[in-house]
Amino acid sequence: MIGRLILTYPDAARRTGVFVILALITLAIYGLGVSPAWIGRVLPTASDWLAANPALARLIGAMMIASIAAVNWKALRQLPRSFQVVGVWIELFVLLMLFFYSFDLSFAFIAKKVGFLISQGVVTTLYISVISIAVATVIALVGAIAKLSKNGVIYGLATFYTSLFRGLPLLMQIYIIYLGLPQVGYVISAVPAGILALSLCYGAYMTEIFRAGIESIPRGQTEGATALGLSPSQTMGLVILPQAMRVIIPPTGNQFIAMLKDSSLVSVVGVWELMYLARTQGQTEFRHIEMLITASMIYWILSVGLEFLQSRIEARFGRFNVR
Amino acid sequence: MPTSIDMATSEIALRGVHKWYGRYHALDDINLLIAPREKVVICGPSGSGKSTLIRCINRLEAHEQGDITVGGVELGEDDRKVDAVRREVGMVFQQFNLFPHLTILENCILAPMWVKKMPRKQAIEIAMHYLGRVRIPEQANKYPGQLSGGQQQRVAIARALCMNPKVMLFDEPTSALDPEMVKEVLDTMVALANDGMTMICVTHEMGFARQVADRVIFMDRGRIVEEGEPEEFFARPKTERASLFLSQLLH
Ligand SMILES: Nc1ncnc2c1ncn2[C@@H]1O[C@H](COP(=O)(O)OP(=O)(O)OP(=O)(O)O)[C@@H](O)[C@H]1O
Ligand SMILES: [Mg+2]
């Protein structure tokens, strides 16, 4: 019945559909209790009326937001795809900035501290992350090969390692390494302890990624290489890994980004990385939120850098897939 | 020819070879001598152990009992001996097993450079020579995925030849090919046979067997059931199993 109506009056049906969706969005915004106070800011003369009719004002506010979103949607639809992407990014970024702006931040304070946040915090964060990423990659490679080993002892070692370090919270690992190793007579300072914990934890996660990547290469590849006389390590390095990279890189990029941010956990043992400084620099002048938002933005920028790097590497290893 | 070979003059010798996959008896008392420059075709029903047999010759599979000697080197746990044998034995697979991330040329120079430590320039020269022989030198800088199945299999043959092997093993090299590409690969193999290479070829291409084989070996359930000259074997198989197999092959 409804199907028949839609088929006979497609245009009318489409308009009704759009109208229903708009109404639903309006109701949702109304239901969420979004305040119409912003109308007062844009149009000061309306503020008295808004105060007098709170419920109606809320409904009108919701309708206006819904129609702004709809007009915006229509406008973006006119653009070519790449412009749409850029447009959405710019709009959402501006909204995010407005959200931060509404906190009434002291930009003078941020400007004063951001230099130190970068020169001390970012440098330490990057230093810890880069070394940990490198070590974790090596661990993952060794771990993956060990997990594929026929030797039961080696396989046992590898499975125990991945199980333990994937199973414990990273925060706990940092404490255990920093506070526990001195108990058995090995004094370790905060930065190496942090690097060790991050490497071991992410090495365990990445072991699984590498193993899956290596296993995704058909057995014939190993056999072809072996029949040509290549040694097992040559086969792995020249034939299997370069192909496995296509499978390994995307999830590994994820891990790198996650590790970059998890390096903030190292702040608990007093390392002056980005998170530690973000928490301590604001304390004296009660400007916590400024420092936290600044640090968040810096983390984001660093992650974007990693995303970019990942896409470049992916393109490099996907080269042979052209037809 | 088969009667005149003995242990001393054979290129490949298998004596009392057994192999099990778990409890499954895949090779059952295989005795086989192959003379230098001899061409042997192995046929038999699916699952009869043909692949297992030739994969034992370059130790892609390890045998559990008996001796296998290739070019005077006995295959066993000693990795250096295994490497020595693999250097003399080239292999071509049903699924080509080219390396998809390397170009045709890179596929061909990989083993000469890394196994024989040959300078790149010399390896390229040799590779281009063999790519010319399989008639695809102009594809040298493409990736395997850009070639047809028949072309890929010819590259696989060239890649094996670049190691200058004494023996070539073929495991159903044309079974994965579209019918119109079978001939170009068989022609390449015939040319190779005429050059005097020792060849062991698992195939059901009777025309090829008739044209080049000195001997046809028929396997069933892990055993060598019958062997003989191709004309004789195809015309008058001695065992019932072989005649049954051949009659099915013709239909
Ligand atoms: N890796 C393995 N593990 C267990 N069983 C195996 C393995 N490889 C082969 N087999 C079994 O051994 C038997 C012989 O296998 P093989 O591949 O040698 O046969 P084939 O004669 O080459 O057959 P086809 O014509 O199908 O290639 C088959 O029954 C097969 O199932
Ligand atoms: Mg087979």
Side-chain angles (χ1 to χ4, degrees):
Chain A
M1 174 64 185
I2 295 178
R4 166 94 46 87
L5 273 179
I6 291 177
L7 284 178
T8 3
Y9 306 103
D11 265 1
R14 202 168 46 89
R15 289 211 192 98
T16 320
V18 169
F19 185 77
V20 168
I21 290 174
L22 261 179
L24 284 177
I25 294 176
T26 306
L27 281 180
I29 296 171
Y30 181 82
L32 283 171
V34 174
S35 144
W38 59 274
I39 303 179
R41 293 240 195 112
V42 183
L43 205 70
T45 47
S47 35
D48 289 342
W49 184 84
L50 288 170
N53 308 287
L56 191 60
R58 220 170 95 192
L59 188 64
I60 291 175
M63 260 155 89
M64 287 174 75
I65 294 178
S67 27
I68 289 172
V71 168
N72 186 23
W73 176 263
K74 279 267 178 206
L76 282 172
R77 286 282 295 274
Q78 311 300 316
L79 299 172
R81 189 172 179 282
S82 52
F83 285 86
Q84 287 176 338
V85 175
V86 175
V88 169
W89 270 72
I90 291 174
E91 283 180 11
L92 289 179
F93 187 77
V94 168
L95 281 181
L96 184 69
M97 287 302 121
L98 283 176
F99 174 60
F100 289 155
Y101 187 75
S102 71
F103 296 171
D104 198 13
L105 303 175
S106 158
F107 289 100
F109 184 75
I110 292 179
K112 193 172 75 183
K113 292 289 190 183
V114 73
F116 184 59
L117 238 48
I118 290 172
S119 68
Q120 170 65 36
V122 172
V123 166
T124 311
T125 289
L126 278 182
Y127 166 76
I128 291 176
S129 302
V130 168
I131 294 184
S132 303
I133 283 171
V135 177
T137 306
V138 174
I139 293 179
L141 189 55
V142 175
I145 293 171
K147 271 211 156 178
L148 296 169
S149 167
K150 287 201 190 86
N151 183 323
V153 178
I154 293 175
Y155 179 78
L157 284 171
T159 45
F160 183 82
Y161 159 69
T162 50
S163 171
L164 181 69
F165 282 90
R166 286 202 303 174
L168 298 187
L170 177 55
L171 190 59
M172 230 70 103
Q173 293 178 30
I174 295 171
Y175 278 128
I176 290 174
I177 289 174
Y178 185 57
L179 304 173
L181 282 188
Q183 298 292 319
V184 293
Y186 186 81
V187 179
I188 188 165
S189 51
V191 170
I195 290 177
L196 192 58
L198 279 170
S199 308
L200 286 171
C201 180
Y202 276 86
Y205 283 117
M206 284 162 52
T207 291
E208 289 304 309
I209 296 175
F210 274 55
R211 181 192 56 76
I214 291 171
E215 278 190 327
S216 74
I217 306 304
R219 260 214 7 220
Q221 292 290 307
T222 309
E223 291 176 352
T226 307
L228 281 169
L230 295 172
S231 70
S233 53
Q234 287 172 335
T235 301
M236 184 56 75
L238 298 168
V239 175
I240 305 301
L241 278 182
Q243 295 182 58
M245 280 303 163
R246 279 198 26 234
V247 180
I248 290 175
I249 287 166
T252 299
N254 261 344
Q255 295 291 309
F256 286 178
I257 290 171
M259 181 197 276
L260 180 76
K261 291 172 297 163
D262 270 357
S263 71
S264 60
L265 290 174
V266 175
S267 63
V268 297
V269 290
V271 177
W272 282 33
E273 47 68 75
L274 189 49
M275 185 68 190
Y276 182 88
L277 294 184
R279 281 194 299 144
T280 51
Q281 288 297 301
Q283 261 163 13
T284 45
E285 298 182 35
F286 296 102
R287 293 260 176 224
H288 291 285
I289 202 81
E290 274 84 351
M291 287 297 93
L292 292 179
I293 287 178
T294 310
S296 305
M297 288 294 105
I298 294 176
Y299 275 117
W300 189 21
I301 292 168
L302 295 178
S303 302
V304 169
L306 278 180
E307 274 171 29
F308 177 73
L309 208 64
Q310 175 188 340
S311 68
R312 293 294 298 269
I313 297 175
E314 259 179 57
R316 165 100 175 59
F317 279 99
R319 217 175 12 148
F320 63 86
N321 223 20
V322 290
R323 302 257 146 186
Chain B
M1 199 181 227
T3 45
S4 64
I5 325 165
D6 59 30
M7 288 303 293
T9 58
S10 65
E11 177 73 49
I12 298 168
L14 290 85
R15 275 183 311 175
V17 171
H18 290 263
K19 165 148 191 81
W20 287 266
Y21 289 116
R23 304 187 60 185
Y24 182 79
H25 204 162
L27 291 183
D28 183 359
D29 192 28
I30 301 289
N31 291 284
L32 181 63
L33 296 179
I34 294 170
R37 309 166 80 82
E38 194 180 356
K39 283 82 183 143
V40 174
V41 160
I42 303 178
C43 62
S46 177
S48 56
K50 308 177 297 288
S51 300
T52 308
L53 173 61
I54 69 166
R55 289 158 62 87
C56 280
I57 293 172
N58 64 352
R59 212 174 165 79
L60 283 184
E61 303 285 354
H63 59 289
E64 269 118 19
Q65 205 177 308
D67 314 318
I68 301 179
T69 311
V70 180
V73 181
E74 191 181 330
L75 284 170
E77 293 298 325
D78 188 341
D79 284 342
R80 270 176 315 183
K81 286 188 177 170
V82 173
D83 287 343
V85 167
R86 283 183 186 150
R87 232 175 265 211
E88 301 296 337
V89 178
M91 185 159 189
V92 174
F93 301 84
Q94 185 175 349
Q95 301 296 341
F96 325 143
N97 295 351
L98 293 178
F99 307 134
H101 63 301
L102 301 178
T103 63
I104 301 308
L105 185 63
E106 287 166 344
N107 263 277
C108 292
I109 64 175
L110 187 74
M113 283 177 62
W114 289 89
V115 179
K116 288 193 166 171
K117 315 287 175 210
M118 192 183 283
R120 187 183 171 88
K121 200 159 158 266
Q122 191 189 347
I124 290 179
E125 237 165 67
I126 293 176
M128 289 314 292
H129 168 75
Y130 284 113
L131 286 174
R133 277 210 43 192
V134 300
R135 304 186 315 282
I136 30 179
E138 68 283 357
Q139 315 278 12
N141 292 316
K142 289 192 178 166
Y143 287 96
Q146 296 169 294
L147 267 55
S148 75
Q151 290 174 322
Q152 290 192 48
Q153 193 59 298
R154 284 187 278 147
V155 171
I157 294 172
R159 180 176 76 174
L161 292 177
C162 285
M163 288 297 282
N164 194 23
K166 284 212 199 91
V167 178
M168 283 285 279
L169 309 174
F170 294 84
D171 191 356
E172 306 206 30
T174 56
S175 314
L177 297 177
D178 292 336
E180 69 270 23
M181 295 171 184
V182 169
K183 188 174 178 298
E184 63 187 58
V185 171
L186 288 180
D187 286 347
T188 309
M189 291 167 63
V190 171
L192 206 57
N194 292 339
D195 284 0
M197 175 81 71
T198 308
M199 282 168 65
I200 305 181
C201 188
V202 177
T203 183
H204 295 146
E205 294 291 339
M206 290 197 329
F208 172 79
R210 281 209 171 88
Q211 194 177 349
V212 307
D214 299 307
R215 195 166 23 144
V216 175
I217 288 178
F218 175 71
M219 289 186 73
D220 191 24
R221 294 182 214 158
R223 291 181 141 267
I224 294 179
V225 176
E226 182 171 340
E227 55 184 298
E229 288 183 20
E231 288 307 335
E232 185 68 17
F233 174 78
F234 290 122
R236 284 172 294 280
K238 291 191 282 279
T239 60
E240 203 171 311
R241 274 188 260 174
S243 41
L244 185 65
F245 172 75
L246 287 174
S247 69
Q248 281 164 350
L249 204 58
L250 289 172
H251 292 131

